[in-house]
Amino acid sequence: MLLRIRSRDGLERIQVDGPHISISQLKTLIESQLQIPIQNQTLSTDQNLLLAKTPVDLLRFTDMADPATPLSALNLSHGSIMFLYYHGERTVRGGPAVSPAGSFGRKMTMDDLIAKQTRITRQESPHCDSVSFDRDSANAFQRYVNETLAFASKRGGFMYGNVTEEGRVEVDFIYEPPQQGMEDDLILLRDPEEEKLVDAIAAGLGRKRVGFIFTQTIMQDKKDYNFSNKEVLQAAELHAESGLKEWVTVVVKLEASEDGGADVHFEAFQMSDMCVKLLKEGWFVTEFGENDDPKLSKMKKDVVVGGKDVKEVDNDFFLVVVKIFDHQGPLSTTFPIENRNTHAAMTALKSHLDRTKSLPFVKRISDFHLLLFLAQSHGLGSDVPALAECVDSQTAVPEGYQLLIESMASTS
């Protein structure tokens, strides 16, 4: 029986006799096959184990603490994955053999020397403390991809919010640009004018672009990876473009639950510093073939991973796990969202205003998607960032703007 072990060194595999063996026996096999002493190991089926920073943190993971527990009691079977935290250093198995011809018999180019110095290791800590989603915004995104798209095609959006002094990324709304989603590809049809308008509205709201969110489809065979090679490349490009060290990439996926149903999961990561650096320097192969393994990223030159010279890197080496929380933000997410299959019309504006008529006018327009719709409608345009500032400060909307918006709604 084969088990998959994920640690700070990436994904490795070990052979065991079957699910009847105990945790104690499993640790002995890990010691012999992966060269990690038993006393240095902490095991769990919870991936948050890899976020532990102190011995106290490790005490929270007790599901595999009893050495007598059999693997079958934890529903671990062939192909199952578990997580390993260990103390100390190790030499990853399979290091390169050194031969005189390889070391001394051949002239090395400058590229060879640079490649020898390019070592890819797991980045232990993200540059942000965590990411927190506005509940309504996150729910509106997942509900659309789940109920309307049925996770059959990919969908993406840019997250807007702020970075707190504590380093938490707070996401208050998601802008969904024009795009074409396929089973394993997501093409963003970037509209510079629309994005400039979005950024202006966000600035009026006191927000900025802080990350990217996308979905995986149910057709992707993603049991062995978090991001595919295409997803790593797209995420790294957007991270590099942002110039924001706290930039977060979030993946939304549908996974089978224990009761036979399916649950929607949000997982957050940062692309590692090394990943962004390699992207900027042009190390990634950007063309993909049908037979390429999606869980491996191809390099144009050799890099060193675990003591080996390789041109294929496990994608997980480029990902840094980020904790996820939620909050109730100040904006609503009830107006139709841009660039979806159905387009918002003036009737939607009238319906929205009628539904919220008991609220102060500034509350009635406290919705990013409504503000973007107004900015793209005749008669407002560049005035909308000023409206956004009213929303941010929750101050009264000038009467002229209110009359104009109500007039637009009444013509529907």
Side-chain angles (χ1 to χ4, degrees), residues 1 15-21 25 29:
M1 181 173 103
Q15 290 287 340
V16 303
D17 291 339
H20 60 278
I21 71 167
Q25 292 171 309
L29 291 171

Side-chain angles (χ1 to χ4, degrees), residues 24-196:
S24 175
Q25 292 171 309
L26 173 63
K27 287 189 171 184
T28 299
L29 291 171
I30 291 174
E31 181 177 57
S32 64
Q33 295 184 35
L34 302 185
Q35 294 76 55
I36 300 174
I38 292 174
Q39 65 272 19
N40 292 356
Q41 300 174 25
T42 301
L43 291 170
S44 177
T45 57
D46 185 346
Q47 67 174 355
N48 289 316
L49 173 68
L50 300 183
L51 294 172
K53 296 181 179 179
T54 67
V56 175
D57 291 341
L58 296 176
L59 296 177
R60 296 189 293 109
F61 301 93
T62 59
D63 59 322
M64 298 183 72
D66 185 350
T69 300
L71 301 188
S72 56
L74 298 168
N75 294 319
L76 294 174
S77 57
H78 179 74
S80 292
I81 186 168
M82 66 194 68
F83 301 89
L84 166 66
Y85 182 100
Y86 69 89
H87 303 286
E89 301 297 327
R90 65 182 281 227
T91 299
V92 179
R93 61 183 177 179
V98 178
S99 65
S103 299
F104 308 108
R106 145 176 99 83
K107 292 183 178 180
M108 297 188 74
T109 66
M110 185 57 68
D111 280 349
D112 289 333
L113 290 172
I114 292 173
K116 292 296 183 185
Q117 296 170 0
T118 304
R119 297 180 178 272
I120 298 179
T121 57
R122 182 175 293 277
Q123 183 175 319
E124 296 295 334
S125 302
H127 291 294
C128 62
D129 172 75
S130 57
V131 59
S132 181
F133 273 98
D134 170 77
R135 297 186 194 100
D136 294 337
S137 181
N139 187 52
F141 185 79
Q142 70 87 15
R143 189 171 62 245
Y144 179 69
V145 299
N146 188 16
E147 297 178 4
T148 302
L149 301 181
F151 281 93
S153 62
K154 303 188 74 166
R155 185 78 183 168
F158 291 109
M159 305 186 297
Y160 281 80
N162 276 313
V163 181
T164 68
E165 291 183 0
E166 298 77 22
R168 173 178 291 189
V169 174
E170 293 191 342
V171 178
D172 288 321
F173 61 87
I174 299 168
Y175 158 65
E176 299 179 21
Q179 56 197 270
Q180 180 181 355
M182 291 160 280
E183 289 185 9
D184 64 349
D185 245 335
L186 175 63
I187 300 174
L188 299 178
L189 307 174
R190 307 286 293 272
D191 182 338
E193 288 303 312
E194 183 168 288
E195 289 191 24
K196 184 178 179 180

Side-chain angles (χ1 to χ4, degrees), residues 24 68 114 128 201 210 238 252 275 285 299 362 367 374 388 400 409:
S24 175
I114 292 173
C128 62
I201 296 171
V210 293
L238 295 173
V252 182
C275 178
V285 174
M299 301 288 115
V362 69
D367 186 310
L374 292 175

Side-chain angles (χ1 to χ4, degrees), residues 152-400:
S153 62
K154 303 188 74 166
R155 185 78 183 168
F158 291 109
M159 305 186 297
Y160 281 80
N162 276 313
V163 181
T164 68
E165 291 183 0
E166 298 77 22
R168 173 178 291 189
V169 174
E170 293 191 342
V171 178
D172 288 321
F173 61 87
I174 299 168
Y175 158 65
E176 299 179 21
Q179 56 197 270
Q180 180 181 355
M182 291 160 280
E183 289 185 9
D184 64 349
D185 245 335
L186 175 63
I187 300 174
L188 299 178
L189 307 174
R190 307 286 293 272
D191 182 338
E193 288 303 312
E194 183 168 288
E195 289 191 24
K196 184 178 179 180
L197 192 56
V198 168
D199 288 341
I201 296 171
L205 292 169
R207 307 298 193 272
K208 63 182 180 181
R209 195 177 300 192
V210 293
F212 179 61
I213 183 171
F214 72 96
T215 64
Q216 290 176 334
T217 66
I218 56 176
M219 284 74 76
Q220 287 178 269
D221 183 15
K222 52 186 183 297
K223 296 178 181 178
D224 286 342
Y225 63 85
N226 288 301
F227 282 21
S228 71
N229 43 21
K230 293 180 182 179
E231 292 163 351
V232 165
L233 193 60
Q234 184 171 48
E237 287 174 343
L238 295 173
H239 191 144
E241 175 189 303
S242 75
L244 181 68
K245 70 175 183 178
E246 295 92 355
W247 181 269
V248 177
T249 302
V250 175
V251 60
V252 182
K253 58 180 73 172
L254 193 68
E255 293 188 343
S257 59
E258 293 182 359
D259 60 4
D263 296 324
V264 177
H265 287 273
F266 283 66
E267 295 179 6
F269 303 91
Q270 281 198 298
M271 309 311 292
S272 70
D273 296 342
M274 176 58 75
C275 178
V276 176
K277 176 178 182 291
L278 293 175
L279 185 281
K280 288 180 176 179
E281 295 177 357
W283 284 64
F284 282 92
V285 174
T286 58
E287 299 294 328
F288 304 97
E290 288 185 7
N291 296 322
D292 288 345
D293 189 337
K295 66 176 177 288
L296 300 175
S297 290
K298 286 188 175 182
M299 301 288 115
K300 294 178 181 177
K301 296 175 285 189
D302 280 348
V303 294
V304 180
V305 179
K308 297 176 65 176
D309 291 348
V310 299
K311 281 189 176 177
E312 292 185 328
V313 181
D314 187 323
N315 298 335
D316 282 352
F317 273 95
F318 296 130
L319 304 179
V320 189
V321 178
V322 176
K323 293 177 287 187
I324 293 183
F325 298 95
D326 63 5
H327 66 273
Q328 191 64 57
L331 302 174
S332 69
T333 312
T334 57
F335 192 79
I337 293 173
E338 63 284 341
N339 300 315
R340 289 187 172 180
N341 292 336
T342 56
H343 299 285
M346 286 301 173
T347 52
L349 177 61
K350 183 178 187 303
S351 174
H352 179 89
L353 293 180
D354 288 345
R355 188 172 61 252
T356 57
K357 60 185 176 183
S358 63
L359 300 174
F361 194 78
V362 69
K363 284 286 188 184
R364 298 167 75 186
I365 64 168
S366 294
D367 186 310
F368 161 76
H369 307 288
L370 169 63
L371 292 172
L372 180 57
F373 173 78
L374 292 175
Q376 294 173 322
S377 301
H378 180 71
L380 282 174
S382 59
D383 291 327
V384 171
L387 285 173
E389 291 180 11
C390 294
V391 171
D392 183 41
S393 60
Q394 287 295 289
T395 54
V397 175
E399 185 178 3

